[in-house]
Amino acid sequence: MESLNEVWAHLTTAQQDPPGWAVLLSALAALVIVSSTTSWQLSRGLITIAHEGGHALAAVLTRRKLQGIRLHSDTSGVTLTRGRPTGPGMILTALSGYIAPSLLGLGGAWLVSQGYITLLLWAMLVLLAGMLLMIRNLFGVVALLSTGGAVFALSWFAPDEVQSVCAHLVVWFLLFGGVRPIVELQRKRRDGRARDSDADQLARLTFLPGGFYVFFFLLVAGVSLAAGTALMAPWPPDLGLG
């Protein structure tokens, strides 16, 4: 019991915030990664992990049978569930994918704003481990193990200052990266290349059009980005130059 208390105390010990310039620089770096075509293609798989994790968590919470998750080298993914093909459970499962990265980013923004860097990193490890149990293809296993290994190495070996800056970078990436796939989705829908997208599946499950769900996804992503920015980079920014 004493060891568990020590672990919990370690996880919940607040770390010092990085200087304001480091927070702003991490935000700029994340924005560049998401905006650049090349870096986005290399990093987009991390958003896919969050997306499919959102589907999987919603399925479990609504008591659908989670059959497995597949992550592909083209940064796409699929979450397989079994249960009623209609109804609230199916709707919430389909609804959760595109908003998951942004909501994870918002939760992460609150944690880093409170200094709970270690808790954030270990929460990420727990979520990745849970997904690993449901992965059903080799590329997905490699992707999760690589991501989890990087997070573990950061939490175990990196100095507190490095952990804090990297945690901010990850959270900014989730917040910015949660927006771009929604914009890409609408472009594909406009060109008729996304007839089986989450938005269109939701349109078939409900009386609302697919465009409404794209707007909803964007609304959640935009509010999360605004709230996360307020939490991590309050105005006026303290650049730590004084």
Side-chain angles (χ1 to χ4, degrees):
M1 182 64 69
E2 184 175 348
S3 297
L4 290 176
N5 289 336
E6 291 176 354
V7 170
W8 180 247
H10 174 67
L11 292 176
T12 56
T13 297
Q15 296 174 215
Q16 186 175 359
D17 291 336
W21 64 264
V23 175
L24 295 178
L25 188 61
S26 65
L28 178 60
L31 182 58
V32 169
I33 292 171
V34 171
S35 301
S36 170
T37 300
T38 301
S39 57
W40 175 242
Q41 288 302 317
L42 293 173
S43 61
R44 194 182 192 277
L46 299 176
I47 298 297
T48 302
I49 291 174
H51 180 113
E52 300 305 330
H55 283 315
L57 180 60
V60 171
L61 292 178
T62 57
R63 298 186 178 183
R64 293 184 61 80
K65 177 68 174 179
L66 179 60
Q67 294 183 298
I69 303 169
R70 300 178 69 89
L71 302 173
H72 303 134
S73 58
D74 63 355
T75 72
S76 65
V78 62
T79 299
L80 303 174
T81 67
R82 186 172 63 192
R84 289 183 56 192
T86 59
M90 187 63 195
I91 293 172
L92 289 174
T93 299
L95 193 67
S96 299
Y98 276 100
I99 63 176
S102 296
L103 293 180
L104 285 174
L106 180 57
W110 182 84
L111 287 174
V112 299
S113 72
Q114 302 300 310
Y116 297 144
I117 305 301
T118 304
L119 182 59
L120 170 63
L121 296 176
W122 281 84
M124 291 171 61
L125 287 173
V126 171
L127 292 174
L128 289 169
M131 286 189 67
L132 184 61
L133 296 175
M134 299 307 301
I135 285 292
R136 296 295 182 263
N137 67 323
L138 179 59
F139 180 84
V141 171
V142 173
L144 286 183
L145 287 178
S146 301
T147 304
V151 174
F152 176 78
L154 177 65
S155 67
W156 197 259
F157 299 109
D160 287 351
E161 296 82 2
V162 175
Q163 288 185 23
S164 184
V165 172
C166 289
H168 278 79
L169 176 61
V170 169
V171 172
W172 284 118
F173 176 75
L174 287 170
L175 291 171
F176 287 124
V179 177
R180 180 161 177 171
I182 304 170
V183 176
E184 293 175 342
L185 167 65
Q186 183 55 28
R187 289 175 182 169
K188 290 180 180 179
R189 294 185 70 253
R190 184 182 58 201
D191 297 338
R193 296 184 289 119
R195 299 185 186 279
D196 291 324
S197 70
D198 292 351
D200 292 283
Q201 289 183 46
L202 286 162
R204 290 191 288 269
L205 289 167
T206 65
F207 60 90
L208 296 170
F212 169 84
Y213 291 103
V214 175
F215 172 77
F216 175 76
F217 297 155
L218 276 174
L219 179 63
V220 173
V223 170
S224 297
L225 176 57
T229 300
L231 285 168
M232 292 191 295
W235 187 262
D238 177 13
L239 300 179
L241 301 177

